[in-house]
């Protein structure tokens, strides 16, 4: 899922833009955040940010009980993935 998120960010970001990746692990979950500048990103064709890359992420998340959210925030796009850890 991290690889898909990075691939999407690279596809929708200019070469000189900085993509930020944050990964945080707690005792119960892994949080992944990928931020990329919004200035060079095209609006999603269907208007809701559910392109094929995000569809794939949602399908993968469902298989492992994770959640995926996508939002535009100020001058960036943020993809947030939460993966619960089980023992």
């Amino acid at each position: 899922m991290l690889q898909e998120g990075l691939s999407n960010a690279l596809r929708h970001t200019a070469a000189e833009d900085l993509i930020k990746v944050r990964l945080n692990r707690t005792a119960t979950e892994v949080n992944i955040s990928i931020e990329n500048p919004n200035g060079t990103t095209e609006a999603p064709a269907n208007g809701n940010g559910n392109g094929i890359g995000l569809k794939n992420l949602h399908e993968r998340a469902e298989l492992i009980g994770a959640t995926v959210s996508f939002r535009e925030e100020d001058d960036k796009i943020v993809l947030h993935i939460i993966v619960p850890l089980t023992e």
Side-chain angles (χ1 to χ4, degrees):
M1 291 171 53
L2 176 59
Q3 181 180 2
E4 180 76 29
L6 284 172
S7 177
N8 288 344
L10 288 170
R11 232 184 337 271
H12 297 288
T13 303
E16 66 275 5
D17 288 337
L18 179 65
I19 297 170
K20 295 180 184 177
V21 178
R22 291 184 178 99
L23 185 127
N24 183 41
R25 182 185 185 275
T26 68
T28 59
E29 64 189 21
V30 174
N31 289 283
I32 301 168
S33 176
I34 301 171
E35 298 178 5
N36 61 298
N38 192 16
T40 58
T41 304
E42 298 176 16
N46 59 11
N48 64 8
N50 291 322
I52 190 70
L54 289 174
K55 181 178 184 261
N56 289 340
L57 281 171
H58 283 286
E59 288 173 356
R60 290 177 182 158
E62 187 176 330
L63 290 172
I64 61 172
T67 60
V68 176
S69 64
F70 170 84
R71 70 182 183 284
E72 293 187 44
E73 181 180 287
D74 299 324
D75 62 343
K76 61 188 170 198
I77 292 178
V78 180
L79 175 68
H80 191 215
I81 303 166
I82 300 173
V83 182
L85 297 175
T86 57
E87 293 185 29

